[in-house]
Amino acid sequence: MKKIIFSICLVVGVLAMSGCADFLERESYGKDETWKTQEDVMQAIYGLYHFVSPYWSEEICGRGHMWLECASDNILIGRDRASVDEIREFRMSPSNSNDVSRVWEVMYQNVAKANNIIKLVPDMNLDGSFKNQALGTALFFRGFSMLWMVPYYGDDTNGGIPIITDKTPTAEIDSPRPSHVLQNYDQIIEDFRAAGEILPYYSQLPADQIGLPHKAAAWAYAARAALYASMYDAKYYDVVIEMCDKVMNMTGADKRSLYVDSSDKSKSFANLWRKEQNHSSEYIFSLEGSNTNGARYHGVSFVNAGWGLYNTWGYYTPSLELYKAFEEGDTRRDATILSPGQHIQFMGRDILFAGYSPDGSVTSISSRTTAHVSAGMVLRKFMSPWETGLYSEVSNLRDKLWNSLNCCLMRYADVMLMKAEALIWTKGEGDGEAKELLNDIRERAGLPRNSQATKAQLQNERRCELAFEFQPSRFVDVIRWGLAPTLLTTPLHSVISKGQDGQIVTEEVEVYPARTYNPTYNKVFPIPERAFTGTENLTQNKGY
């Protein structure tokens, strides 16, 4: 799979004509008739990863839609940025220039590239198994690219977002939006189902293709799309269960499971986020990481300027509300959040966070103070590559943030949580199988197996287990559970810290006051202004 990462830079120029500058461009929408060989098709497949190439790894896979997550109750903005305040306060305009404005065009480019593969490959003289893999990969990425956008821009009030498949006539690309977002989710689920039918199993991928989509990834993503669709129609929970069962019932070399550290179970969750688990039984689909390429999100999320040791960016900071969501004894809390008075190994140094070291035995460095957060807390979940300071693990270009930890977008714990939710919402609270699923997750976190499988418990387990992961979305979860009018309008807090009598003490502070949330309009965001170039039929979301 590293071959894919390194090849992207070489083939982007060639493949630009296989996609489109925006999703309405006519010339490059059709087949690329120059493809003749299996290698040509593999280059087209590599082009589907353009969104994580060096050109886009900051805008799409470093920040991108994570700016929209700043509207959730998990995240405080770690650095002053007026355009992000607009997002979190639900007064975002279509002209907002943050990186998220580029997601629409890049993901629709991926849709066009996938459509070209789907249209061309069936008529090519290729090995049957390779042809299936190519078609399955294209179907996967078409669904994947749409799912990256749909939950943030489509709903039951405004309708869906444009559906463009390999069968869409060029003259009809600029068509009115679907009347309901469920039309998008149906298309996405159909794509993932079809991909799952013809993609290879993970165990069948050759070593240089590890990281490409496989059956379990397609089924798990179908479950996620159905989970989001269930907000509008509970019948989709049946699809969630069906797709999760496909993943959970796999056996042999393809069996998926929670990662448990056999040498120290108490460190299982913390050690899940180390490169040794990049291809473990828990990681179902990831963006491959290296010190020269890959998603930048891990470093983007850590404290600004890395205390002068490395140029991490500090954009996303945990709220005190998230910290308090963890039960006492939950090992996920300290694995996820760095709090004042705790130590972290960073760039070969032992750091005492938030600044008090009376005997001088450790480096004592505080977080950057901003108008929003003074000292506060820091996201530590993904920082293992920076422990040693070795440039074999992180980029020696200290503002690029590339690192050896895969950016995991789908893992087995999420599959378990999706199925548990579907069981609770369809069979009622206290469902026996849901209890077992939640208790397995709790046990890995060092908690007692005492879940009663209530809706509230499921929601909190999902919050704690998946906090700050690049996917799935806490914001979308809060919206679809109907909790937004409460959780997205209450004040958010952090802490400030100081030395006192040889100890670090903290004080709770309000970072953001209460917000106004309009349940009719604010469950989606405005479609970026740049998406309207060249279209007559695309309409903006109401309220923006």
Side-chain angles (χ1 to χ4, degrees):
M1 184 57 184
K2 293 295 189 291
K3 178 183 176 184
I4 292 177
I5 291 177
F6 298 136
S7 296
I8 289 171
C9 303
L10 300 175
V11 302
V12 159
V14 175
L15 291 167
M17 295 306 295
S18 300
C20 51
D22 61 58
F23 78 99
L24 293 174
E25 186 175 324
R26 296 333 196 245
E27 292 355 288
S28 53
Y29 177 68
K31 295 180 181 180
D32 186 333
E33 301 290 355
T34 64
W35 298 351
K36 302 297 182 184
T37 68
Q38 180 168 312
E39 180 61 25
D40 292 336
V41 177
M42 282 305 303
Q43 295 296 304
I45 289 173
Y46 295 168
L48 294 171
Y49 284 87
H50 183 33
F51 69 97
V52 72
S53 70
Y55 187 78
W56 289 115
S57 62
E58 177 182 330
E59 288 84 353
I60 307 302
C61 297
R63 295 176 295 203
H65 68 196
M66 282 304 297
W67 289 127
L68 304 182
E69 289 299 298
C70 289
S72 81
D73 55 344
N74 276 3
I75 296 179
L76 309 178
I77 304 165
R79 295 170 62 182
D80 296 332
R81 194 156 180 159
S83 55
V84 185
D85 287 334
E86 293 176 2
I87 293 172
R88 69 162 307 280
E89 293 168 6
F90 303 111
R91 51 185 180 85
M92 180 182 180
S93 68
S95 61
N96 188 294
S97 60
N98 262 299
D99 306 324
V100 72
S101 68
R102 308 305 297 268
V103 169
W104 181 282
E105 66 188 91
V106 172
M107 287 305 168
Y108 267 114
Q109 287 174 16
N110 244 27
V111 169
K113 292 172 185 176
N115 284 338
N116 286 339
I117 294 171
I118 295 167
K119 292 169 71 175
L120 181 63
V121 166
D123 296 332
M124 294 182 69
N125 183 22
L126 299 171
D127 172 76
S129 61
F130 173 77
K131 186 180 292 190
N132 279 343
Q133 183 182 11
L135 290 172
T137 300
L139 288 163
F140 177 91
F141 272 108
R142 187 168 71 183
F144 174 92
S145 301
M146 292 299 289
L147 191 57
W148 198 290
M149 300 182 289
V150 165
Y152 296 108
Y153 299 119
D155 62 10
D156 53 345
T157 300
N158 298 283
I161 67 174
I163 298 173
I164 304 172
T165 73
D166 55 296
K167 296 180 175 62
T168 304
T170 301
E172 296 178 16
I173 294 177
D174 183 13
S175 300
R177 297 172 63 173
S179 60
H180 198 292
V181 74
L182 284 178
Q183 291 172 255
N184 284 119
Y185 285 121
D186 286 341
Q187 178 63 50
I188 292 167
I189 293 168
E190 180 181 333
D191 278 349
F192 284 131
R193 280 186 182 276
E197 288 296 317
I198 57 178
L199 281 171
Y201 287 97
Y202 177 83
S203 63
Q204 295 173 328
L205 291 171
D208 64 351
Q209 292 184 14
I210 296 296
L212 283 174
H214 49 90
K215 288 185 183 297
W219 295 332
Y221 267 97
R224 182 177 288 169
L227 187 76
Y228 288 174
S230 68
M231 168 183 174
Y232 304 103
D233 190 335
K235 74 179 184 182
Y236 286 89
Y237 276 127
D238 292 337
V239 180
V240 174
I241 294 172
E242 176 195 357
M243 293 293 107
C244 288
D245 278 344
K246 281 183 171 290
V247 177
M248 297 173 72
N249 291 338
M250 300 176 81
T251 59
D254 290 294
K255 182 176 176 56
R256 304 286 94 188
S257 61
L258 291 179
Y259 167 75
V260 177
D261 190 324
S262 59
S263 62
D264 188 347
K265 290 185 178 180
S266 69
K267 295 182 179 179
S268 293
F269 190 78
N271 288 343
L272 173 64
W273 306 104
R274 307 188 72 85
K275 72 173 185 178
E276 291 78 13
Q277 275 62 257
N278 276 350
H279 304 114
S280 72
S281 62
E282 183 154 354
Y283 279 37
I284 294 178
F285 188 71
S286 307
L287 302 177
E288 296 288 303
S290 79
N291 63 344
T292 58
N293 210 327
R296 301 193 198 182
Y297 172 60
H298 301 150
V300 167
S301 62
F302 197 57
V303 61
N304 184 43
W307 305 303
L309 303 175
Y310 196 93
N311 189 30
T312 49
W313 295 357
Y315 280 118
Y316 309 121
T317 303
S319 67
L320 185 58
E321 283 69 24
L322 171 61
Y323 182 89
K324 291 181 176 179
F326 292 91
E327 299 174 38
E328 285 300 319
D330 190 333
T331 60
R332 295 173 298 191
R333 186 184 68 187
D334 290 346
T336 302
I337 299 172
L338 178 65
S339 303
Q342 292 182 328
H343 289 254
I344 186 170
Q345 300 299 310
F346 184 76
M347 296 304 292
R349 304 274 288 277
D350 182 16
I351 304 296
L352 175 64
F353 176 59
Y356 193 72
S357 181
D359 62 2
S361 60
V362 295
T363 304
S364 176
I365 308 176
S366 294
S367 167
R368 176 180 183 270
T369 299
T370 73
H372 290 314
V373 182
S374 176
M377 297 177 288
V378 173
L379 177 63
R380 77 183 303 167
K381 195 171 190 176
F382 312 115
M383 296 312 295
S384 63
W386 281 268
E387 287 178 352
T388 62
L390 296 176
Y391 290 123
S392 59
E393 304 300 321
V394 296
S395 174
N396 61 4
L397 303 172
R398 293 157 59 90
D399 62 343
K400 296 303 182 184
L401 307 177
W402 297 317
N403 61 95
S404 59
L405 180 65
N406 281 6
C407 186
C408 186
L409 305 181
M410 176 67 73
R411 59 188 177 93
Y412 189 71
D414 190 8
V415 173
M416 297 169 68
L417 287 164
M418 287 191 289
K419 183 175 182 182
E421 178 178 334
L423 291 169
I424 294 169
W425 263 253
T426 57
K427 298 186 177 181
E429 295 186 327
D431 176 79
E433 186 178 2
K435 282 184 181 180
E436 289 302 304
L437 291 168
L438 294 178
N439 282 332
D440 286 348
I441 290 173
R442 288 175 60 80
E443 182 177 15
R444 201 253 301 264
L447 296 172
R449 296 181 65 91
N450 60 3
S451 174
Q452 297 305 302
T454 65
K455 289 184 177 181
Q457 288 171 337
L458 179 283
Q459 290 162 345
N460 199 63
E461 289 296 339
R462 189 169 174 85
R463 182 182 195 182
C464 295
E465 179 71 23
L466 304 173
F468 275 87
E469 294 179 31
F470 200 70
Q471 292 180 0
S473 165
R474 168 65 178 173
F475 176 80
V476 173
D477 282 350
V478 169
I479 296 294
R480 65 187 182 80
W481 288 328
L483 301 178
T486 300
L487 295 182
L488 300 187
T489 59
T490 55
L492 294 179
H493 300 80
S494 188
V495 297
I496 56 175
S497 58
K498 60 182 178 180
Q500 180 175 305
D501 299 327
Q503 303 292 325
I504 292 177
V505 296
T506 60
E507 175 186 349
E508 183 175 323
V509 293
E510 181 179 295
V511 178
Y512 295 127
R515 295 177 280 176
T516 299
Y517 173 83
N518 185 317
T520 301
Y521 302 135
N522 297 145
K523 60 180 179 287
V524 291
F525 294 95
I527 294 173
E529 186 175 61
R530 61 193 312 121
F532 290 85
T533 302
T535 177
E536 298 177 357
N537 290 307
L538 185 64
T539 55
Q540 185 55 268
N541 285 331
K542 297 174 183 177
Y544 297 106

